[in-house]
């Protein structure tokens, strides 16, 4: 038949109808553009032409590139553990504990988890409901890792010793499962802090507290997780400090940056609880008054994780010194003083006890007498810490 046929073309950009005659039907040139379109395609030329076409950038590119190309904490752990599978397992257990605690905090309001639990902890602080939940999470995650021999928690009176030989490993972990929990009911940032030791005793017997009652210089890994507007995990393996942020979309910590304190001391910020000022010794009192006279800003959250995190990123100084009321200070050595001091020093800062036990000393060189022992804290940039220490001379 020579009657024309209506052909409907469908394409990505548009579609249209065309009446096609019998001659063209027989020639099999049913393509847009007729015979010109039927010519064989030169694939090499097509590739070159395609390569010349550049994709138009969009405002979403930086966001997508970061999520796709950023190093995950899991990747970083595998690299930093240098083939130590047990250490990699421990760090993955810690990051999992942080994720679960973060999720519990997010749901605390609707789940009715605000408020006191009606008891005190090992160090005499009032215990919140979330303190107990966070402690259970950390203990279970670390126990199930199969690589821990001894655990010390702020919420537990005594150390937790892993007796079962098939479930214990070479690491001793001290941790504060929820630091700053007095702020949790008003939705202020809180955090978890931890330090990791490798046991000294042989593997044939369970660990003892002597395996963890050691100076902070023996710590192999330390870190903290801050639960705020974002959940961030800051860790050190003793070679610098790295910062990761939790992407809630797929539950993975992504690398943000290396943490390095400003070389010039950074912003002029002092952070301390001035409610204790009447109990301070003269050098601390003089330093704080000098800060006020020299344009320093006062910033104090009351959660050590938040205050130290800001100090690391912005500069300045954080103080929780000994005083007449608390001659050893208030903060605990194993799971607050040591890990934060190690992180501060690895980030280029300085940490000191101030005047403690009759001398000026480095926090990491304190020898703890028991698992909940305390020490004074002065940490931050060299510019500011050195000024405090000079007042003791």
């Amino acid at each position: 038949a020579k009657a024309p046929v209506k052909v409907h073309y469908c394409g990505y950009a548009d579609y249209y109808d065309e009446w096609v005659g019998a001659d063209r039907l027989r020639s099999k040139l049913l393509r847009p553009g007729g015979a010109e379109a039927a010519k064989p395609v030169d694939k090499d030329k097509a590739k070159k032409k395609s390569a010349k076409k550049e994709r138009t950038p969009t405002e979403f590119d930086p966001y997508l590139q970061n999520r796709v190309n950023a190093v995950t904490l899991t990747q970083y752990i595998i690299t930093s553990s240098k083939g130590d599978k047990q250490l990699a397992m421990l760090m993955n257990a810690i990051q999992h504990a942080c994720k679960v605690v973060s999720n519990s905090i997010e749901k605390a309001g609707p789940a009715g988890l605000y408020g006191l639990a009606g008891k005190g902890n090992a160090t005499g602080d009032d215990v919140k409901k979330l303190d107990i939940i966070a402690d259970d999470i950390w203990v279970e995650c670390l126990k199930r890792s199969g690589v821990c021999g001894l655990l010390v928690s702020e919420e537990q009176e005594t150390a937790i010793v892993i007796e079962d030989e098939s479930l214990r490993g070479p690491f001793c972990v001290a941790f504060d499962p929820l630091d700053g929990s007095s702020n949790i009911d008003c939705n202020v940032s809180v955090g978890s802090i931890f330090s990791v030791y490798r046991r000294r005793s042989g593997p044939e017997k369970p660990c003892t507290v002597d395996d963890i009652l050691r100076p902070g210089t023996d710590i192999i890994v330390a870190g903290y997780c801050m639960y705020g507007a974002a959940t961030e995990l800051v860790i050190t393996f003793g070679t610098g400090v790295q910062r990761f942020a939790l992407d809630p979309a797929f539950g993975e910590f992504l690398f943000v940056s290396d943490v390095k304190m400003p070389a010039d001391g950074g912003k002029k910020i002092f952070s301390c609880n001035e409610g204790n000022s009447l109990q301070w010794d003269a050098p601390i009192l003089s330093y704080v008054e000098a800060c006020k006279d020299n344009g320093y800003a006062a910033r104090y959250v009351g959660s050590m994780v938040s205050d130290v995190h800001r100090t690391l990123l912005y500069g300045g100084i954080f103080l929780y010194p000994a005083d007449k009321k608390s001659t050893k200070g208030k903060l605990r050595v194993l799971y607050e003083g040591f890990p934060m001091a190690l992180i501060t020093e690895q980030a280029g800062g300085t940490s000191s006890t101030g005047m403690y036990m009759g001398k000026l000393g480095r926090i990491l060189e304190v020898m703890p007498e028991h698992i909940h022992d305390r020490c004074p804290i002065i940490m931050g940039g060299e510019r500011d810490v050195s000024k405090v220490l000079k007042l003791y001379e």
Side-chain angles (χ1 to χ4, degrees), residues 8-74:
H8 183 71
Y9 293 104
C10 296
Y12 291 107
D14 56 4
Y15 59 89
Y16 59 93
D17 297 330
E18 181 182 0
W19 289 95
V20 179
D23 293 337
R24 187 172 164 202
L25 279 173
R26 281 193 289 270
S27 67
K28 299 180 181 179
L29 296 180
L30 281 178
R31 298 181 190 177
E36 188 66 28
K39 291 180 180 179
V41 177
D42 188 328
K43 292 183 179 179
D44 292 333
K45 285 184 179 179
K47 285 182 180 178
K48 289 179 182 178
K49 188 175 181 181
S50 177
K52 288 180 181 178
K53 280 187 176 181
E54 293 185 3
R55 189 178 67 85
T56 304
T58 72
E59 67 272 24
F60 301 110
D61 285 354
Y63 169 73
L64 293 172
Q65 287 296 318
N66 184 61
R67 297 188 81 194
V68 173
N69 298 330
V71 175
T72 67
L73 178 57
T74 304

Side-chain angles (χ1 to χ4, degrees), residues 86-87 89-98 134-153 160 162 167-169 171-177 193-196:
Q86 290 180 312
L87 182 57
M89 290 174 67
L90 171 65
M91 293 307 298
N92 275 312
I94 287 174
Q95 74 156 317
H96 182 63
C98 293
D135 185 55
D136 287 343
I137 291 168
W138 272 80
V139 170
E140 284 303 309
C141 286
L142 293 174
K143 276 184 176 180
R144 290 173 182 272
S145 71
V147 295
C148 295
L150 182 141
L151 307 176
V152 170
S153 169
I160 301 170
I162 312 300
L167 297 177
R168 70 173 179 249
F171 300 113
C172 302
V173 185
F175 58 93
D176 182 349
I193 316 173
F194 66 91
S195 59
V196 179

